[in-house]
Amino acid sequence: QVQLLESGGGLVQAGGSSRLSCAASGSMFSLSTMGWYRQIPGKQRELVATITSGGTANYVDSLKGRFTISRDNAKNTVYLQMNSMKLEDTAVYYCYASGWSRATGIANFWGQGTQVTVSS
């Protein structure tokens, strides 16, 4: 099994920045794509950004230029740098990974989510 542990988030002022981290752990696993999704209250979970093991990043168009995803393969960790934050960025942010583990085979993995609240 693969566990994804998110950190960061919390309360941030509009216009400010915040950085999320997500570290993967487990026994015998290999991750291909990692990324972030978010869920705004009352709405479906939506893609924020993904990044492949080779470093190719993909962003939802509306967040390009403000959010940056990065990855440290040696640490099995993915980051999300969020700048110029807006009230509408308030959401629960979920870490995501696709890959393989000895316990599950090919699978998708999700973190528990971390709350990010942008205040005015």
Side-chain angles (χ1 to χ4, degrees), residues 97-110:
S98 64
W100 173 92
S101 77
R102 183 178 182 180
T104 63
I106 296 174
N108 295 322
F109 309 101
W110 291 92

Side-chain angles (χ1 to χ4, degrees), residues 21-104:
S21 300
C22 171
S25 63
S27 177
M28 294 189 65
F29 67 94
S30 175
L31 301 177
S32 55
T33 298
M34 299 185 76
W36 295 92
Y37 284 69
R38 70 183 184 184
Q39 189 163 19
I40 298 168
K43 296 189 176 182
Q44 289 188 332
R45 194 174 297 186
E46 62 180 9
L47 171 70
V48 174
T50 60
I51 186 167
T52 67
S53 57
T56 300
N58 176 59
Y59 299 90
V60 64
D61 286 343
S62 60
L63 299 178
K64 285 181 180 177
R66 292 197 300 121
F67 287 17
T68 302
I69 191 169
S70 60
R71 178 172 177 171
D72 186 333
N73 290 328
K75 296 181 179 179
N76 289 310
T77 299
V78 64
Y79 306 95
L80 184 68
Q81 178 67 41
M82 303 181 288
N83 298 326
S84 302
M85 295 192 73
K86 303 177 180 180
L87 296 178
E88 53 264 40
D89 293 324
T90 295
V92 177
Y93 285 72
Y94 294 91
C95 180
Y96 161 83
S98 64
W100 173 92
S101 77
R102 183 178 182 180
T104 63

